Amino acid sequence: MAPRFGFSDLWEKETRKGTPVVVTMENPNYSIVEVDEPDGAFTPMERTRGKNAKQVTWVLLLQAHKAVGCLAWLATASWSLLGSVKRRLCFNHRLGSETWQRQMAFLVVYCAVPCTVRRSFDSLLRLFWIKYKKIKPRIDEEPFRNDDVEGSGTEYPMVLVQIPMCNEKEVYEQSISAVCQLDWPKDRMLIQVLDDSDDGSIQELIRAEVTKWSQKGVNIIYRHRLVRTGYKAGNLKSAMSCDYVKAYEFVAIFDADFQPNSDFLKLTVPHFKEKPELGLVQARWAFVNKDENLLTRLQNINLCFHFEVEQQVNGVFLNFFGFNGTAGVWRIKALEESGGWLERTTVEDMDIAVRAHLHGWKFIYLNDVKVLCEVPESYEAYKKQQHRWHSGPMQLFRLCLGAILTSKIAMWKKANLILLFFLLRKLILPFYSFTLFCVILPITMFVPEAELPVWVICYVPIFMSLLNVLPAPKSFPFIVPYLLFENTMSVTKFNAMVSGLFQLGSSYEWIVTKKAGRSSESDLLGLTDKSMPPNQMVRGVSDSELLEIGQAEEQKKQTVAVKKTNKIFHKELALAFLLLTAAVRSLLASQGVHFYFLLFQGLTFLLVGLDLIGEQMS
């Protein structure tokens, strides 16, 4: 029975009108039957004899009374909710001076928080289900013969391997070496080194490395463009236009700092067999320098959540996720039918993934297949990378929104693309973090009548940080720095989001992320992920070249070290001044937890603004 409110009491009073009737039963022999459903009083034997009309009437009346009670309860709850909203608006109208702060906070908190928290929590629940059921893509049987891969294995498909790079002096040697040692028949694989370097000395080094491996019998070629148009997308597009590419069925792409294991192709390409609708197989990234400094540890938290939760959940339940631009294998037919590489945005990987999804191609994500790479070790490099990663999606959203709405995919897939894939992670979260923690909160310290509840600035951010850290349990000691640093990065992400959404000049900038070159042989031995089997560890160079590496290291020690300088970031310093000033105002007003949050957040902005986090650029 629904709860009794004033509305239902009024209804009962109206139904009691009239003259009461007293019914006297002449036959005292009667029985009471409890009826839960319309047909609950009739046993199979009774149905053969016919139904009692009086019992049916009473059952229908009971059901009607329940329905009216539910409707009355819903009406009363809706009326109460509307009354609460009306009283809130009238209260804000009476306050006058702080109305705009409260309304803005109300919109930001009650619109952004539920969808972001629910999305993260729902993704983690799906991940637990995947782990519990042990759901992952599997190869049913050995797709290729176990003969010597050096022989002419006709069952092995033709695979094209591409290594796009641009002025990658620190990492080109290791990546070329790792790709050339892939365990695949040499006559069934071609390696393209796509060099966009504008430094002549680096071009000569890369060309010499390619020549060395070519003399060892590896099928590898060197390509260099005179005009670097379209950046990485233009580089890949130019390489795919070669006539000999028509003989190949799949293409594997690795950025210059990625070093795949020798069995990478054997773990990825077999998934395409007997699956003509499969267009992409994506592997996971593993980081050799994740413990190098505080900045790399914080990046590891974000990327672990991205690969462990977002990519894996979307791959299992949606058969779609964003291509990461590297460490993946594409079916060339899927690339061609989707329009190939386009130069219209700086996120060509996301662009081709969305277009392939709209054409009906399916994706597979392999969480167990890991490829070693680097994360930026300096804040300047990381900031430029995040600017490109957040401005490009908004620019792409403007370009492909019409194609998404007019595509033939299911409506729920369109909603997932628009609301979750684009808006939630790339627009709502940066807007929420920046406006709430960097604008609204410090301003409310100077308006005595306005205030934000404690749960908004304390409980919700901590809960969100806990959800993000769960995929990387070893990072729990860094949960507070992670929360403060993510709020600091919201400035860069918000600026990039606005730049991409309104197609400003900075949204077209492509700056190659600076590498430290730590993926050398010695670093791989010491920093490789302990969860990876020892027999799958990547060898950056061969044993015969270890002596050359040692000699090179000795020469580096003898040379004069290049002085590294700190760069000043003015936006972060301006916000540090605002937050610290608000913290002082909060302390004078005795506003409790607001002071501590503003103090530590302001100090974080100060450290980042002075470039005191991560390595400095030379």
Side-chain angles (χ1 to χ4, degrees), residues 318-388:
L318 300 178
N319 292 119
F320 166 74
F321 45 82
F323 175 47
N324 294 118
T326 177
V329 182
W330 276 93
R331 189 188 297 271
I332 295 181
K333 182 180 178 182
L335 292 177
E336 294 175 349
E337 290 188 358
S338 303
W341 300 103
L342 298 182
E343 307 170 5
R344 56 182 183 175
T345 67
T346 57
V347 284
E348 75 294 327
D349 46 4
M350 183 180 292
D351 188 3
I352 189 63
V354 171
R355 286 185 281 117
H357 180 56
L358 296 180
H359 282 77
W361 292 98
K362 297 184 180 301
F363 302 164
I364 284 181
Y365 172 72
L366 302 178
N367 192 58
D368 297 333
V369 181
K370 301 180 180 180
V371 182
L372 291 176
C373 63
E374 291 187 29
V375 290
E377 297 185 9
S378 67
Y379 176 72
E380 182 181 2
Y382 179 64
K383 182 178 180 179
K384 293 177 180 178
Q385 181 195 70
Q386 291 300 305
H387 186 278
R388 175 166 54 88

Side-chain angles (χ1 to χ4, degrees), residues 188-244:
R188 313 294 293 180
M189 179 179 67
L190 173 64
I191 302 173
Q192 286 182 319
V193 178
L194 311 177
D195 183 24
D196 264 2
S197 303
D198 53 7
D199 190 331
S201 60
I202 299 178
Q203 295 177 20
E204 293 298 326
L205 292 173
I206 299 175
R207 188 181 288 106
E209 184 70 15
V210 171
T211 303
K212 181 183 68 176
W213 284 101
S214 178
Q215 293 174 353
K216 294 181 180 180
V218 178
N219 193 11
I220 183 173
I221 60 175
Y222 174 85
R223 282 180 54 87
H224 178 265
R225 296 191 303 163
L226 297 178
V227 180
R228 189 191 174 210
T229 58
Y231 303 109
K232 182 180 177 181
N235 198 2
L236 296 173
K237 180 180 179 180
S238 175
M240 295 298 294
S241 63
C242 300
D243 294 334
Y244 56 79

Side-chain angles (χ1 to χ4, degrees), residues 157-208:
M158 299 288 287
V159 178
L160 179 68
V161 182
Q162 297 178 335
I163 313 177
M165 58 180 62
C166 179
N167 297 325
E168 306 281 1
K169 183 179 180 180
E170 295 81 9
V171 294
Y172 77 92
E173 186 177 2
Q174 294 92 327
S175 62
I176 294 176
S177 173
V179 171
C180 289
Q181 297 181 61
L182 288 173
D183 190 8
W184 201 257
K186 293 182 179 180
D187 60 337
R188 313 294 293 180
M189 179 179 67
L190 173 64
I191 302 173
Q192 286 182 319
V193 178
L194 311 177
D195 183 24
D196 264 2
S197 303
D198 53 7
D199 190 331
S201 60
I202 299 178
Q203 295 177 20
E204 293 298 326
L205 292 173
I206 299 175
R207 188 181 288 106

Side-chain angles (χ1 to χ4, degrees), residues 54-247:
K54 292 183 178 180
Q55 290 179 341
V56 174
T57 302
W58 280 107
V59 170
L60 293 178
L61 288 175
L62 288 173
Q63 295 295 331
H65 181 69
K66 288 182 179 181
V68 172
C70 291
L71 291 176
W73 181 81
L74 291 174
T76 305
S78 301
W79 187 262
S80 301
L81 178 62
L82 292 175
S84 300
V85 174
K86 182 178 179 180
R87 287 192 299 270
R88 184 177 201 51
L89 294 177
C90 293
F91 179 71
N92 286 341
H93 180 71
R94 289 195 301 268
L95 288 179
S97 61
E98 77 277 8
T99 301
W100 65 275
Q101 290 96 343
R102 288 185 177 274
Q103 290 179 349
M104 184 179 296
F106 180 81
L107 290 175
V108 171
V109 174
Y110 291 96
C111 292
V113 171
C115 60
T116 53
V117 173
R118 184 188 179 280
R119 174 60 177 169
S120 300
F121 191 70
D122 180 65
S123 298
L124 286 173
L125 288 179
R126 291 173 180 263
L127 177 64
F128 292 150
W129 179 258
I130 292 174
K131 298 295 185 181
Y132 175 72
K133 291 293 185 178
K134 299 181 180 179
I135 303 174
K136 63 179 180 179
R138 290 183 174 87
I139 304 173
D140 297 332
E141 57 183 7
E142 181 63 30
F144 309 123
R145 295 183 302 180
N146 293 326
D147 55 353
D148 184 12
V149 297
E150 297 297 333
S152 57
T154 56
E155 295 187 3
Y156 287 83
M158 299 288 287
V159 178
L160 179 68
V161 182
Q162 297 178 335
I163 313 177
M165 58 180 62
C166 179
N167 297 325
E168 306 281 1
K169 183 179 180 180
E170 295 81 9
V171 294
Y172 77 92
E173 186 177 2
Q174 294 92 327
S175 62
I176 294 176
S177 173
V179 171
C180 289
Q181 297 181 61
L182 288 173
D183 190 8
W184 201 257
K186 293 182 179 180
D187 60 337
R188 313 294 293 180
M189 179 179 67
L190 173 64
I191 302 173
Q192 286 182 319
V193 178
L194 311 177
D195 183 24
D196 264 2
S197 303
D198 53 7
D199 190 331
S201 60
I202 299 178
Q203 295 177 20
E204 293 298 326
L205 292 173
I206 299 175
R207 188 181 288 106
E209 184 70 15
V210 171
T211 303
K212 181 183 68 176
W213 284 101
S214 178
Q215 293 174 353
K216 294 181 180 180
V218 178
N219 193 11
I220 183 173
I221 60 175
Y222 174 85
R223 282 180 54 87
H224 178 265
R225 296 191 303 163
L226 297 178
V227 180
R228 189 191 174 210
T229 58
Y231 303 109
K232 182 180 177 181
N235 198 2
L236 296 173
K237 180 180 179 180
S238 175
M240 295 298 294
S241 63
C242 300
D243 294 334
Y244 56 79
V245 174
K246 298 178 181 179

